[in-house]
Amino acid sequence: MTNDLDQAFIRIEQLVRQRALPGVARATSNGTPALKVLDNSFAHLLDATTLVLQCPPDQKALLMEISPDIYFETDPYVGQPAVLIHLDAITDEELSLRLEDAWFFESPPSLAMLRPPTSPKAGD
């Protein structure tokens, strides 16, 4: 299982690096790999196929409504500012955007000001 976790997390780390998000460090959460911005965790693996991503509750509700095959929640996450993601159902492009959103959600304003949000491409 550890190898599966490592492989899943390599994908996530690569996407974060491509976004050039400052202040990101590798951490652990409940024994699984996580990413934090300064002291705030913004993403961690629940298992090799499920990512927990911090997000505002209104965004979480919208994502789960629009793409329930990708975004979901389980009982421990009801009412929490986090959405679960089926990693095998999400494209790298969409996952990259969600990771950036989570980074902004958890970044202190002084750090977020250093990195303006990426503009959506035509058709997004």
Side-chain angles (χ1 to χ4, degrees), residues 15-109:
L15 293 172
V16 167
R17 273 194 302 277
Q18 289 171 3
R19 288 277 170 187
L21 302 173
V24 175
R26 191 173 200 184
T28 59
S29 178
N30 299 319
T32 63
L35 291 176
K36 63 181 184 175
V37 54
L38 299 183
D39 289 328
N40 300 325
S41 177
F42 68 93
H44 75 271
L45 287 175
L46 191 59
D47 56 45
T49 62
T50 310
L51 181 68
V52 179
L53 202 63
Q54 297 302 118
C55 71
D58 57 335
Q59 181 184 25
K60 173 183 177 175
L62 182 63
L63 290 170
M64 290 190 312
E65 182 180 329
I66 291 172
S67 299
D69 54 320
I70 297 173
Y71 305 101
F72 68 106
E73 67 183 345
T74 57
D75 287 344
Y77 294 95
V78 172
Q80 299 300 312
V83 67
L84 303 178
I85 298 175
H86 289 291
L87 290 172
D88 58 347
I90 191 168
T91 65
D92 282 354
E93 183 175 355
E94 185 167 351
L95 180 55
S96 177
L97 292 170
R98 298 292 78 81
L99 287 162
E100 182 176 39
D101 289 345
W103 180 89
F104 273 106
F105 181 62
E106 290 297 331
S107 290

